[in-house]
Amino acid sequence: DVQMTQSPSTLSASVGDRVTISCRASQDISGWLAWYQQKPGKAPNLLIYRASSLETGVPSRFSGSGSGTEFTLTISSLQPDDFATYYCQQYDSAPYGFGQGTKVDIK
Amino acid sequence: QVRLQESGPGLVKPSGTLSLTCSVSGGSVASSFWWTWVRQSPGKGLEWIGDVSHSGETNYVSALKSRLTISVDDSKNQFSLNLRSVTAADTAVYYCAALLGKGLDAWGQGTTVIVS
């Protein structure tokens, strides 16, 4: 099974900051990686698919990059609505596991 | 736009069977999605449980494989999860979701299941 490792687990930042979250797969997943945002009590929301494609309706301050086993989610200028938990997920080979999550909170 | 809605008992006794259904609207379970279940234990991260294709092919997480069945019902346009021999560790919010080529781009609102 492919193991997904996210870092950091918690990130404290201020509005306007550039934020970067990392995700590492235990083997090459050929770019089949998605990023999700989850707010308390809500279902996750797809932000990025295929490692770098922005889902329709998602603000352009969100971007994804990476290939092989190393991937990054970047928020170019953190907004108040962005304080949430973010997860990566590989969907190259089942089981399609998630990373442990990164909680972005207010510094 | 596919819309998903979970339903099922919110309370299950230990050693019993947890049964949930996800109703699909705005699309057909006979389409090319993989119909997926994800759960989230209290205060924890997301756990992919398994999925089923329109043709009934399934994938399951290794840790639950011996207790888990996911199936699809074309006639009712829904798919289901059955988890046997549950314990308190199976207490979680259970989400159904749809995977095409973009990741899980449609989710239900989630349903809380307590094993007690």
Side-chain angles (χ1 to χ4, degrees):
Chain A
D1 297 358
V2 180
Q3 304 302 314
M4 305 301 294
T5 304
Q6 258 181 266
S7 60
S9 56
T10 305
L11 189 160
S12 297
S14 302
V15 172
D17 284 354
R18 181 182 181 88
V19 167
T20 299
I21 299 169
S22 297
C23 181
R24 174 178 293 176
S26 60
Q27 64 191 57
D28 188 339
I29 56 171
S30 302
W32 295 104
L33 183 101
W35 289 97
Y36 304 87
Q37 177 193 67
Q38 187 182 34
K39 296 182 178 179
K42 300 294 187 182
N45 183 49
L46 178 67
L47 300 175
I48 301 286
Y49 61 95
R50 278 301 263 142
S52 60
S53 295
L54 192 67
E55 173 68 335
T56 303
V58 174
S60 58
R61 62 181 179 273
F62 291 93
S63 64
S65 63
S67 62
T69 63
E70 300 283 344
F71 301 89
T72 301
L73 174 70
T74 300
I75 309 172
S76 60
S77 177
L78 197 67
Q79 298 302 300
D81 191 49
D82 301 338
F83 291 98
T85 301
Y86 295 85
Y87 295 92
C88 62
Q89 183 204 18
Q90 68 85 15
Y91 54 109
D92 176 58
S93 60
Y96 303 129
F98 292 90
Q100 306 96 312
T102 297
K103 183 177 181 180
V104 177
D105 62 20
I106 301 173
K107 182 185 285 185
Chain B
Q1 175 91 12
V2 171
R3 292 175 299 279
L4 306 173
Q5 177 67 59
E6 306 89 351
S7 60
L11 183 65
V12 181
K13 294 185 183 300
S15 77
T17 297
L18 185 163
S19 297
L20 296 175
T21 295
C22 184
S23 298
V24 179
S25 58
S28 170
V29 291
S31 62
S32 300
F33 288 98
W34 283 82
W35 305 101
T36 301
W37 289 96
V38 174
R39 72 180 182 180
Q40 188 167 34
S41 300
K44 302 297 184 183
L46 300 172
E47 179 182 19
W48 184 92
I49 296 174
D51 62 12
V52 60
S53 72
H54 61 93
S55 62
E57 183 181 353
T58 55
N59 297 295
Y60 299 144
V61 68
S62 303
L64 299 178
K65 193 171 292 187
S66 64
R67 300 192 288 130
L68 181 63
T69 301
I70 297 175
S71 59
V72 64
D73 187 336
D74 289 2
S75 66
K76 296 182 179 179
N77 211 34
Q78 60 189 24
F79 61 104
S80 300
L81 173 151
N82 279 272
L83 183 64
R84 299 172 292 279
S85 303
V86 296
T87 70
D90 296 309
T91 293
V93 176
Y94 286 77
Y95 296 100
C96 60
L99 171 72
L100 195 51
K102 295 169 57 176
L104 296 168
D105 61 350
W107 292 74
Q109 64 185 25
T111 187
T112 298
V113 179
I114 296 172
V115 178
S116 177

